[in-house]
Amino acid sequence: MAVPISMLLGAPLPMVIVFTGVFVTCYSMAGGISAVVYTDVCQSVILLVGGLVSVVAIVSRVPGGITVLAADAHRHNKLSLGKTEWSWQERTVPTVLAYAAVHYMTKFITFQDAVQRYLAVPSHKELLKAMSLTASLALPTWALFYFIGTCLWAFYRAYPDPRVANLPPDAVFPSFILHELPSGVAGVVISGVLAAAMSTMDSSLNATASVVVTDLIQRCLLPHKPDRFYLRCARCVTLAAATFMICSALVLEYLPMESLNDWYNSMQSIMGGAVISLFLIALYAPWFTKPSMLVAIAVSLLSNVFLMAGCSGLLPPTGAIFGFFSRLNSYWVAPLVNLVFIAAAVLTQLFLATVWGKAVLAWLAQKPFSTMKASSLPLDVNPEDIHRCNLYEPETEHQRLLASADLQGMQSCGVSGAQSAVRLEPLYEGPAAFSVEMADLDALRQHTNLQEDHSQPGNKA
């Protein structure tokens, strides 16, 4: 965004970055999610219009028009998707597809800047419409702007310009806008470039403020404060996030890279982690336990650090293992980390279901297998699935009473209309997980010496 403005105005690049960042921050802080949604809609329209105007302007100046341009581009493989063979080191089609599958699933399922838009939609029906529109426009939009690159290649092949030869890839399009387009058309195209960058920045600022205030400040650090206090916190977080983003942009402008888009994809792959796998397991495999998830998170984090070191050139280039991962393309990091997460979760879950796994859990808890903890959440009870209360080690008076009385005994003494409840949960999921409602401890004390007799229907648990 800052490059075309800097080239157009002749202003220093750092000054342009700071001023554009401040502008986006101001309307994001003033309007919140409403400002983000309405400005993003306008910016999306301007972006598409600017892209279409750019294609028409370039194609109209290429000798032979679109027919010659397409034939020449096809002959030089400029319309090809790339190499189709499998490669761990090069950015081939399978590499890009594997990265894109993980990245866009993560983006549209877990990213806060996407989720906050879902929550802003008034109904599920309208949300489906919005998602359908997004899916239908995503591929054509990307194809349009990639085709602009092909058109620029054809244009400068027909009209060589020494000024472009030494420019970085991200500066070629701004140079074309500045030197080749008429004033009015150039303004429309620059508006489209600005719209793309601004829509990304404002939604990220709003998402960051929402997460920090709602999940951290309001829930953990400073709960039960008035709404005005959290609004001030959100604005302060937005300002801090904007300052960080502006400083990062100032640094990135001077880092050597193939292109900003390639650098962004590499960083997303390396830093994205296995969030999408965690979400999918939680949604579609809820029987996975907390210990297996913790182990999978730890293993995937270690794998991510190792792969990050390989992509950064920190691993020795020799040896079968280090040599392979030192040459691994950064696009493979996200798919591999997610595969490691799923494999670790499945293997850990299978292990915890064995006797050895339960022994490990008991050793970690330093209590017997069936030790349970108490909380205050009542659940419906199915007497047929409940084992006797003495399956756990009693620690409190409530638990000692429950240990000596079975459920049917409590029911026979008229315990009903519970005013409070105790939920006893095992450290592992199993048949010993149950809940008991009780209201009258005196009634339970009368049955502390109750003996289990499975031959009597009234005492079966």
Side-chain angles (χ1 to χ4, degrees):
M1 174 181 71
V3 174
I5 300 300
S6 176
M7 296 177 66
L8 181 64
L9 300 178
L13 190 60
M15 185 175 67
V16 174
I17 291 175
V18 171
F19 273 95
T20 51
V22 170
F23 174 73
V24 174
T25 303
C26 289
Y27 78 73
S28 298
M29 291 176 61
I33 186 62
S34 298
V36 170
V37 170
Y38 286 112
T39 54
D40 281 3
V41 171
C42 297
Q43 290 160 359
S44 299
V45 175
I46 296 173
L47 173 67
L48 293 175
V49 172
L52 293 173
V53 170
S54 300
V55 171
V56 173
I58 300 173
V59 171
S60 63
R61 298 186 58 183
V62 173
I66 185 65
T67 304
V68 175
L69 187 152
D72 199 18
H74 178 72
R75 188 164 50 250
H76 290 83
N77 293 323
K78 294 299 180 180
L79 298 179
S80 171
L81 294 177
K83 299 178 181 179
T84 57
E85 63 268 17
W86 188 278
S87 175
W88 296 101
Q89 291 79 33
E90 298 183 20
R91 198 163 59 243
T92 60
V93 172
T95 303
V96 175
L97 289 178
Y99 160 75
V102 174
H103 170 66
Y104 285 105
M105 286 180 66
T106 304
K107 177 178 177 62
F108 287 106
I109 295 177
T110 68
F111 278 19
Q112 177 65 20
D113 58 348
V115 174
Q116 69 180 2
R117 289 177 170 86
Y118 305 156
L119 299 178
V121 178
S123 66
H124 185 263
K125 182 178 180 180
E126 296 298 320
L127 174 60
L128 293 179
K129 290 181 181 179
M131 292 298 295
S132 301
L133 182 62
T134 301
S136 61
L137 290 179
L139 187 58
T141 302
W142 278 104
L144 171 65
F145 283 91
Y146 277 120
F147 185 63
I148 290 176
T150 302
C151 293
L152 288 172
W153 169 84
F155 177 83
Y156 284 113
R157 190 168 181 270
Y159 305 103
D161 188 347
R163 294 174 300 186
V164 178
N166 297 323
L167 289 178
D170 292 328
V172 174
F173 190 32
S175 177
F176 175 83
I177 297 171
L178 181 62
H179 297 105
E180 303 295 341
L181 291 181
S183 299
V185 178
V188 174
V189 177
I190 291 175
S191 299
V193 175
L194 283 170
M198 291 168 61
S199 64
T200 301
M201 186 175 179
D202 60 15
S203 57
S204 299
L205 290 175
N206 192 268
T208 303
S210 299
V211 170
V212 172
V213 173
T214 304
D215 294 338
L216 182 62
I217 297 178
Q218 187 175 5
R219 183 172 299 175
C220 301
L221 300 180
L222 298 169
H224 312 302
K225 297 290 184 180
D227 291 341
R228 184 173 295 274
F229 170 80
Y230 295 121
L231 177 61
R232 289 197 296 266
C233 290
R235 289 175 174 170
C236 292
V237 172
T238 301
L239 184 60
T243 303
F244 175 78
M245 293 174 70
I246 292 171
C247 294
S248 301
L250 293 172
V251 173
L252 289 176
E253 286 297 334
Y254 299 100
L255 288 181
M257 62 184 72
E258 178 183 346
S259 69
L260 187 59
N261 182 63
D262 179 70
W263 181 89
Y264 168 80
N265 289 334
S266 297
M267 289 300 101
Q268 284 290 338
S269 180
I270 292 173
M271 306 301 293
V275 179
I276 183 60
S277 296
L278 179 62
F279 268 68
L280 292 178
I281 288 178
L283 288 173
Y284 299 108
W287 55 86
F288 276 71
T289 58
K290 182 179 179 180
S292 63
M293 292 295 97
L294 293 176
V295 171
I297 291 173
V299 173
S300 64
L301 285 176
L302 293 175
S303 303
N304 207 337
V305 172
F306 178 78
L307 295 176
M308 186 188 307
C311 295
S312 303
L314 301 178
L315 296 180
T318 57
I321 297 178
F322 286 165
F324 172 81
F325 287 107
S326 65
R327 298 186 298 271
L328 182 71
N329 190 282
S330 58
Y331 280 38
W332 279 111
V333 174
L336 291 179
V337 168
N338 280 272
L339 288 177
V340 168
F341 182 94
I342 295 174
V346 172
L347 293 177
T348 305
Q349 186 69 19
L350 293 175
F351 171 74
L352 294 179
T354 64
V355 175
W356 298 278
K358 296 174 183 178
V360 171
L361 289 177
W363 176 77
L364 291 175
Q366 297 181 351
K367 293 180 181 181
F369 290 0
S370 54
T371 300
M372 299 181 184
K373 57 183 180 180
S375 65
S376 57
L377 296 176
L379 290 180
D380 294 333
V381 179
N382 183 0
E384 298 297 330
D385 296 332
I386 294 178
H387 287 206
R388 286 189 56 82
C389 299
N390 57 11
L391 285 175
Y392 66 93
E393 179 183 359
E395 294 180 353
T396 66
E397 181 183 6
H398 289 262
Q399 294 175 349
R400 285 193 296 271
L401 290 170
L402 292 174
S404 60
D406 61 14
L407 182 65
Q408 295 294 334
M410 283 185 278
Q411 291 176 343
S412 65
C413 69
V415 178
S416 61
Q419 301 298 321
S420 62
V422 174
R423 179 185 177 185
L424 303 175
E425 299 174 343
L427 295 178
Y428 66 94
E429 304 246 349
F434 66 95
S435 63
V436 177
E437 292 186 353
M438 63 183 192
D440 190 354
L441 290 179
D442 292 331
L444 290 177
R445 290 190 180 95
Q446 298 176 10
H447 292 267
T448 53
N449 297 321
L450 185 67
Q451 300 295 322
E452 181 183 58
D453 184 6
H454 290 285
S455 63
Q456 299 179 14
N459 287 337
K460 285 186 179 181

